[in-house]
Amino acid sequence: MYRQARYDEPLIFEMEGENTYYLDDVDNSILSEIPRELVRENIEIPDNEEYEVVRHYTRLSQMNYGVDTNTYPLGSCTMKYNPKYSEILSKKPEVMYSHPLQHESTVQGFLQIMYELQEMLKEIGGMDSVSLQPAAGAHGEFTGMLIVKKYFEVRNEDRSEVIVPDSAHGTNPASAAMAGFDVVEIPSKEDGTVDLNALSSALSDRTAAFMITNPNTLGIFEYEIVKIAKMVHEKGALLYYDGANLNGIMGYTKPGVMGFDIMHFNLHKTFATPHGGGGPGAGPIGVKKHLEDFLPVPIVRKDGDKYYLDYSLKHTIGKVRSFYGNFAVILKAWAYIKQKGSSLKEVTERAVLNANYLRARLQKYYKLPGKELRKHEFVLEGLRKGNVRTINIAKRLLDYGIHAPTIYFPLIVKEALMIEPTETESKRSLDKFAEVMIKIREEIESNPDEIADAPRNTSVRRVNDVLASKKVIPSWRVAKRYL
Ligand SMILES: *Cc1c(COP(=O)(O)O)cnc(C)c1O
């Protein structure tokens, strides 16, 4: 159904070359300067013609998959199409060749961009102050938890627990634990939303914070959020917003309005930056007035028409990132928001419409837990039929040239398939995805063996996921040891 580049590309080390580099050619007087143990006798450097190298890397690039190739419905990750104007901007020589140690007076334009983004994020999040420093969503969570910690230290309150729902993204409990808190997990209700009774029994004067995302990881809006905020605040604890799902509410409501005290933004998700495989990203955090003085430094401020870096926050947790954060991502987010202007709200509208359109098409074929309207994403129950599991559906999608959705997350849905089409996909593209999903559903009935054996049409067939993490092979030299 889809054309897909399929190569059996050797490593460049395995390609035939002339191998004309010899250490003998090097002046011996230079060699004697190098400590003996650092001299490699046999330097295995690939040696190919320029055109061979270009073709090799071009073919490799075509084995890659990204939002520029096709639909990328990876739930929770918000893999929207990234407009090219922001790439052009971030690759301008003025950006690439500026140095973070330059004097403030020579980078006023960059400081202005950072200041404006701080202001825009304050407005979008309903927060009073923003720091752009953290390098990712998870890093923002960790920064937020350090702020929570310091806040209670300054207040002389001994609070050691952070509550998370069982639907949470794994980074939430991990960030809380890394900041030194004990994590208390509470079960969700049947419909996937926060169980107020469970929350009530978990809350105590040991509670430092409750971390949630809204819409939650099932794509459902926490309709009791105002009540939740009240319960948390009545116990003297803070409410943390995981901003990864901002694409489902942006322009319609704000975490600040819902009662959250701290939040992070995933700039690379909501405001478009090519991301995946661990980066690049930016996870600015926003806080309400009472936490302002705890933010990491520096914050960009404006005095008349001059911009400057302020390091003088009273209770600052210090620095969490070298210099000023991931500037290229900050710049892209700024450009994205400026370009959208007042139509930023339409991003959310379209994201929600797209998700619900797909949900409506697919729920006849796959089980959808709960009947509520979803926001920007939805989670289907996968199947267990013969040898077929959700993992096989994901692999079969690759045969049709489509990236699989997120699978086995959130943990509260059996064999979960978490689908987030994002606003940038057209109806045509959504229909294609739906048709392939429906076709796979039929194949599960008519030809389960074929599905269990997928993928068949990819350059690399089924890999051993467990071995891949137990026996890490990060380079060709390490691989050779196993061969
Ligand atoms: C992506 C994500 C995170 C973590 O953000 P990163 O930028 O990947 O570190 C946290 N929570 C949720 C719900 C997410 O989807």
Side-chain angles (χ1 to χ4, degrees):
M1 196 174 289
Y2 288 98
R3 205 164 58 85
Q4 164 154 316
R6 184 179 158 196
Y7 300 108
D8 189 15
E9 187 66 15
L11 297 176
I12 196 158
F13 295 99
E14 296 166 335
M15 287 169 56
E16 274 188 31
E18 297 294 322
N19 292 318
T20 47
Y21 294 119
Y22 296 104
L23 270 186
D24 300 353
D25 299 342
V26 182
D27 183 349
N28 261 327
S29 63
I30 298 177
L31 267 187
S32 61
E33 301 279 315
I34 304 172
R36 204 54 234 160
E37 69 274 17
L38 296 182
V39 175
R40 263 192 266 151
E41 299 289 327
N42 182 13
I43 44 167
E44 292 170 296
I45 301 176
D47 178 19
N48 301 85
E49 298 294 335
E50 180 177 317
Y51 77 88
E52 291 175 318
V53 174
V54 168
R55 286 178 185 169
H56 170 69
Y57 284 108
T58 304
R59 284 193 297 267
L60 277 186
S61 75
Q62 289 170 359
M63 288 166 74
N64 203 359
Y65 189 104
V67 272
D68 288 356
T69 320
N70 219 327
T71 317
Y72 210 131
L74 204 55
S76 214
C77 298
T78 313
M79 307 300 267
K80 58 176 73 176
Y81 173 76
N82 306 289
K84 295 294 171 256
Y85 58 76
S86 50
E87 290 307 309
I88 294 168
L89 262 184
S90 65
K91 287 198 176 67
K92 280 172 95 70
E94 295 88 325
V95 176
M96 304 244 296
Y97 301 125
S98 294
H99 195 280
L101 288 177
Q102 268 175 247
H103 191 267
E104 275 171 14
S105 64
T106 67
V107 286
Q108 283 291 303
F110 294 157
L111 291 180
Q112 180 179 353
I113 285 169
M114 293 174 73
Y115 178 83
E116 287 181 10
L117 185 62
Q118 286 174 188
E119 291 301 303
M120 296 189 283
L121 294 180
K122 270 157 68 174
E123 179 64 33
I124 293 167
M127 292 285 142
D128 295 317
S129 204
V130 163
S131 161
L132 301 176
Q133 272 198 19
H139 194 198
E141 294 168 21
F142 177 62
T143 305
M145 287 300 108
L146 292 182
I147 289 177
V148 170
K149 197 150 208 211
K150 183 123 190 216
Y151 174 73
F152 288 118
E153 267 166 31
V154 167
R155 291 169 66 92
N156 232 336
E157 286 182 51
D158 188 17
R159 291 175 179 262
S160 57
E161 292 178 355
V162 168
I163 306 173
V164 293
D166 58 1
S167 62
H169 194 263
T171 52
N172 293 185
S175 302
M178 277 187 70
F181 289 109
D182 297 325
V183 177
V184 179
E185 187 182 279
I186 56 167
S188 302
K189 279 193 305 203
E190 191 71 22
D191 67 2
T193 58
V194 173
D195 181 340
L196 297 198
N197 290 328
L199 176 62
S200 169
S201 9
L203 278 169
S204 74
D205 51 16
R206 290 186 307 279
T207 311
F210 182 39
M211 293 178 93
I212 44 170
T213 180
N214 192 16
N216 65 20
T217 53
L218 290 176
I220 298 173
F221 191 82
E222 295 284 356
Y223 54 95
E224 295 192 290
I225 188 60
V226 174
K227 221 184 261 174
I228 291 170
K230 190 156 174 267
M231 286 168 67
V232 170
H233 290 147
E234 272 172 6
K235 282 283 173 197
L238 298 169
L239 191 58
Y240 184 94
Y241 182 81
D242 173 345
N245 292 329
L246 203 60
N247 225 42
I249 57 160
M250 186 168 53
Y252 278 86
T253 182
K254 307 173 186 192
V257 172
M258 297 179 213
F260 286 90
D261 303 283
I262 315 180
M263 69 175 292
H264 76 256
F265 301 82
N266 300 61
L267 296 190
H268 44 293
K269 294 180 181 174
T270 316
F271 307 112
T273 279
H275 65 283
I285 61 166
V287 294
K288 288 278 186 64
K289 202 102 202 141
H290 52 290
L291 298 168
E292 237 170 31
D293 278 341
F294 294 85
L295 283 173
V297 286
I299 306 283
V300 184
R301 304 226 192 262
K302 190 178 180 191
D303 180 16
D305 54 3
K306 289 248 176 346
Y307 298 90
Y308 68 99
L309 297 164
D310 181 5
Y311 288 88
S312 69
L313 304 191
K314 185 155 174 237
H315 298 299
T316 177
I317 57 162
K319 286 190 72 68
V320 292
R321 175 80 169 79
S322 54
F323 303 112
Y324 324 110
N326 283 349
F327 184 75
V329 182
I330 289 170
L331 173 63
K332 286 175 206 186
W334 172 86
Y336 179 87
I337 298 171
K338 289 285 254 197
Q339 194 273 338
K340 293 282 176 213
S342 57
S343 69
L344 199 57
K345 199 174 166 178
E346 287 164 23
V347 166
T348 301
E349 245 160 55
R350 180 80 181 256
V352 172
L353 180 63
N354 278 3
N356 283 286
Y357 175 73
L358 261 190
R359 173 188 64 92
R361 280 211 64 179
L362 292 180
Q363 68 184 7
K364 297 185 210 103
Y365 303 89
Y366 294 86
K367 191 167 166 220
L368 176 89
K371 291 279 161 280
E372 307 77 358
L373 197 71
R374 297 306 198 266
K375 293 290 177 246
H376 62 307
E377 66 191 1
F378 60 101
V379 180
L380 297 171
E381 261 181 41
L383 308 171
R384 270 179 172 268
K385 201 171 164 71
N387 287 329
V388 176
R389 304 274 181 279
T390 282
I391 181 84
N392 306 98
I393 298 172
K395 298 295 179 194
R396 187 61 178 154
L397 276 164
L398 304 181
D399 277 340
Y400 289 108
I402 295 186
H403 196 283
T406 297
I407 55 172
Y408 298 108
F409 173 72
L411 304 176
I412 56 172
V413 175
K414 277 184 285 181
E415 298 284 323
L417 278 157
M418 184 193 218
I419 300 170
E420 179 180 9
T422 82
E423 74 282 3
T424 50
E425 298 302 308
S426 65
K427 178 168 178 297
R428 198 163 51 242
S429 145
L430 299 176
D431 282 335
K432 269 192 198 167
F433 176 71
E435 277 150 29
V436 171
M437 284 292 288
I438 293 164
K439 186 154 196 292
I440 293 175
R441 183 69 190 84
E442 285 157 7
E443 285 177 340
I444 293 170
E445 298 302 327
S446 62
N447 199 356
D449 289 344
E450 179 138 353
I451 306 281
D453 197 31
R456 296 173 169 217
N457 303 333
T458 49
S459 303
V460 176
R461 293 200 50 191
R462 187 72 176 268
V463 291
N464 186 330
D465 303 328
V466 179
L467 200 64
S469 62
K470 298 236 165 190
K471 194 165 157 183
V472 179
I473 303 180
S475 74
W476 176 65
R477 288 200 172 84
V478 175
K480 281 215 303 189
R481 267 185 241 148
Y482 292 118
L483 297 174

